[in-house]
Amino acid sequence: MQLFIGGACAGKRDAVTSRFPSASWHRLEAGQRLINSQQALAANTPLVITGVLEWLGAALERDDNDALRQQWQRDMATLCQRADKLNAALIIIATEVGRGIVPMQPEQRRLRDLNGWFAQDATTQASHVWYVRHGLVMAVK
């Protein structure tokens, strides 16, 4: 798996498109588990997963951060294994939101926490991590 992370409009999509021109794209659906993305996997075809921040926003209704995190960790591991079996590169595009002003609303602070944990977990699973800023792509892992 590869993770492309950076701020909004930083050039993540362009970077992924240039590296994986034949990829299929899948946007995470609110309320669905990450593992449901495996339906979009196809043999020998890269799969790009987008919409992480909005997907996490829909998860704010759930109270247990630890259970939520454990679920997506399991789902991510299973998804990576399935992609490997199909020889399909798996790419996740995530938005980095931790460098701004801390919001006053508790749910917005929690969203940033969830996003940070997701990025940490994706980084752990990823073989390559790319940070994108102003269209510049830097290998982090």
Side-chain angles (χ1 to χ4, degrees):
M1 180 179 76
Q2 296 190 40
L3 174 67
F4 285 75
I5 190 164
C9 303
K12 299 178 297 289
R13 286 180 171 271
D14 290 341
V16 170
T17 300
S18 69
R19 285 171 170 75
F20 303 96
S22 64
S24 62
W25 292 67
H26 173 76
R27 185 166 188 79
L28 292 171
E29 296 287 330
Q32 290 189 347
R33 288 181 52 183
L34 179 61
I35 195 65
N36 291 355
S37 301
Q38 73 179 340
Q39 296 168 354
L41 281 169
N44 304 310
T45 304
L47 176 64
V48 180
I49 297 175
T50 65
V52 173
L53 189 61
E54 296 82 5
W55 174 72
L56 289 169
L60 288 173
E61 298 170 3
R62 292 185 52 184
D63 290 333
D64 192 347
N65 292 338
D66 292 334
L68 185 60
R69 189 172 181 189
Q70 288 170 3
Q71 182 182 43
W72 78 51
Q73 287 171 342
R74 285 190 306 270
D75 287 357
M76 197 179 299
T78 302
L79 194 57
C80 287
Q81 291 170 354
R82 177 91 169 119
D84 286 345
K85 286 180 184 176
L86 292 171
N87 191 37
L90 182 63
I91 302 99
I92 296 179
I93 296 177
T95 304
E96 201 285 314
V97 293
R99 292 183 170 215
I101 297 171
V102 177
M104 292 180 61
Q105 303 87 355
E107 65 276 357
Q108 288 300 311
R109 289 193 305 271
R110 182 165 176 249
L111 177 59
R112 279 150 179 77
D113 289 343
L114 290 174
N115 191 64
W117 290 323
F118 183 89
Q120 289 177 45
D121 295 336
T123 297
T124 299
Q125 289 281 334
S127 59
H128 295 85
V129 178
W130 309 92
Y131 187 76
V132 184
R133 184 170 176 157
H134 305 299
L136 301 171
V137 181
M138 179 176 61
V140 180
K141 176 181 177 185

